[in-house]
Each structure stands twice: as structure tokens, then as C-alpha cells.
Amino acid sequence: MMAQRKLLSQQKSRLTKEAQDNKRDTEKAMRQLTSLAPEPPEWLDDTATDEWHRIHPLLEELPVASLDLMLVSTYCQAYSDYINATKRMNNSDVIIETERGTKLNQNHTIKRDALSQLNSIAPKLGLTVESRLKILEPKQDTKSDKSVYEMFGIEDND
């Protein structure tokens, strides 16, 4: 798995001025990407479409672009799968009886798989608190007005 690329504001190591400029230019270019269309893909079911309309205005606050269409639509469909499987399970047991014995209700498997997808996709889009904090963390000012002596509590007697 490839490590996620950090925004300039997320860098903990000191970057050279040139590296900072390159990163800033990249982030500026990222903000100029084509926006995610407000209308969902037609292949989403009704529940997924409702989720699209709920999160779309919120996604506009994050660096999500049209290139993220598949991630957003897959997230919405996984949400729908989870909700609909949960509703179906309200009318049946987790373990069901068959002529061959007992087995796990397939809706439980659908819920588990959908939740796994949601948990995988959500941080990539900034849909979790932790991922938003990383994306929106303000740039730290690495310069200090204190001298090296003041920073380490040493008197400059020389």
C-alpha cells in the first residue's frame, strides 16, 4: 500500500525553500481540479443517492474533486448496502435455519463487508474526524523569535 501524500501544512520535517515552493504549487494545482458534480451517478440506488446529496455539500469544503467520483459513489453505495441490510435483518435472526442446518444470515455478511468498505474509503475522502484534522491542520510556523540560548534556557554571557 502506498503512503498517503501529506499537504505542506502536515510536514513535520523541515523542507528546503524550493521543496516548500514545489509543494505549495502542487497544492494550488490540486485546488484547481474539476469539482465533483452535484448530481450523483444514475447507477446509485435511492439510499445511496440520498447519501450523495447529504455529503456532497460537505465534500465541497474538502479537497475532493471529480477525479474522486468512484470513491464517493462507492462510499455512498456501501452506505446504502449497510443501511438496507440492517433493515432486512430487523425482520430476521442473525443465525437462520436451513434444511442443511444453521447458517449466518447473508445480510450480516453484507453489513460486515459494507462497513469494511466505509471504513476504508471514509479517511481517503476526509470523512472521519482524524482525516479532516490532518487535511485541515493549519501550517505550523517553524520560525521562532527566541534565540537558541533562550530555547534551551541557557544564558548568553559571551
Side-chain angles (χ1 to χ4, degrees):
M1 183 175 182
M2 198 166 152
Q4 274 189 321
R5 193 172 170 141
K6 292 184 178 182
L7 296 173
L8 180 59
S9 60
Q10 298 171 311
Q11 295 293 313
K12 290 185 175 69
S13 63
R14 296 177 189 241
L15 298 175
T16 65
K17 175 83 169 101
E18 183 181 355
Q20 286 180 6
D21 290 344
N22 287 341
K23 197 149 195 64
R24 198 172 287 110
D25 291 345
T26 301
E27 291 172 17
K28 183 179 177 185
M30 184 176 70
R31 287 189 298 272
Q32 293 172 347
L33 291 173
T34 303
S35 298
L36 186 66
E39 287 306 311
E42 59 186 48
W43 54 266
L44 292 179
D45 67 23
D46 290 345
T47 306
T49 297
D50 289 346
E51 179 64 359
W52 175 285
H53 289 299
R54 184 187 77 80
I55 68 171
H56 185 273
L58 306 171
L59 291 174
E60 290 180 323
E61 299 171 13
L62 298 168
V64 175
S66 184
L67 290 169
D68 302 308
L69 172 65
M70 187 52 68
L71 269 181
V72 176
S73 55
T74 301
Y75 175 87
C76 292
Q77 191 58 56
Y79 172 86
S80 175
D81 293 346
Y82 182 86
I83 296 299
N84 290 321
T86 300
K87 287 178 181 177
R88 288 190 300 270
M89 281 194 69
N90 288 339
N91 302 322
S92 62
D93 296 324
V94 174
I95 305 295
I96 55 175
E97 297 283 337
T98 68
E99 56 275 356
R100 295 183 181 171
T102 60
K103 72 174 192 172
L104 187 62
N105 186 323
Q106 69 180 6
N107 288 302
H108 180 72
T109 305
I110 292 169
K111 282 179 61 171
R112 183 189 62 216
D113 293 349
L115 187 58
S116 177
Q117 273 190 309
L118 291 169
N119 284 331
S120 172
I121 296 170
K124 294 174 183 172
L125 293 171
L127 299 178
T128 65
V129 173
E130 183 180 4
S131 63
R132 277 192 307 281
L133 287 174
K134 287 181 180 176
I135 291 170
L136 301 174
E137 179 182 19
K139 186 165 61 172
Q140 303 269 327
D141 187 10
T142 57
K143 293 184 181 179
S144 175
D145 293 337
K146 293 182 179 180
S147 71
V148 173
Y149 296 106
E150 291 173 316
M151 289 171 61
F152 291 103
I154 302 170
E155 290 186 30
D156 181 14
N157 295 330
D158 292 335

